């Protein structure tokens, strides 16, 4: 199976909390990559046993150091050009 996960997160201002599960419908992960170019021939296989249904917890905090912008500002978009070129 391809790598997949199921997760649920809750965000409260800058704090994000969540719980999830890697590979909820499989017991292991296997991938094979084959590069068959004219100068490179590579066969690469990754297999991880017993990592299916692995539970994880997520806790993150967003430190906002950027300038807070006013997104409610009205845009003044007007054009006085008639489109006629003057000589």
């Amino acid at each position: 199976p391809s790598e997949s996960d199921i997760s649920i997160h809750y965000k409260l201002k800058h704090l994000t909390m969540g719980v999830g599960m890697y590979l909820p419908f499989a017991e292991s992960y296997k991938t094979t990559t084959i590069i068959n170019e004219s100068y490179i021939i590579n066969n690469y296989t990754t297999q991880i046993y017993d990592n299916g249904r692995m539970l994880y917890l997520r806790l993150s905090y967003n430190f906002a150091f950027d300038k807070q912008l006013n997104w409610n500002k009205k845009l003044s978009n007007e054009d006085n050009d008639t489109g006629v070129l003057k000589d």
Side-chain angles (χ1 to χ4, degrees), residues 20-84:
M21 182 179 293
Y22 286 118
L23 299 170
F25 307 111
E27 292 186 15
S28 64
Y29 174 74
K30 180 180 180 181
T31 182
T32 302
T33 303
I34 298 173
I35 300 173
N36 201 4
E37 298 291 328
S38 60
Y39 297 109
I40 300 171
I41 298 173
N42 189 5
N43 187 351
Y44 182 73
T45 302
T46 301
Q47 186 163 1
I48 303 172
Y49 299 100
D50 297 331
N51 70 334
R53 296 186 273 295
M54 181 172 56
L55 189 66
Y56 68 88
L57 301 174
R58 175 184 177 186
L59 181 66
S60 64
Y61 189 83
N62 183 10
F63 296 98
F65 294 114
D66 57 345
K67 180 180 175 183
Q68 299 296 324
L69 299 176
N70 183 9
W71 294 103
N72 296 326
K73 187 169 78 171
K74 299 260 184 191
L75 178 64
S76 176
N77 189 9
E78 58 184 58
D79 187 10
N80 294 330
D81 187 13
T82 61
V84 177

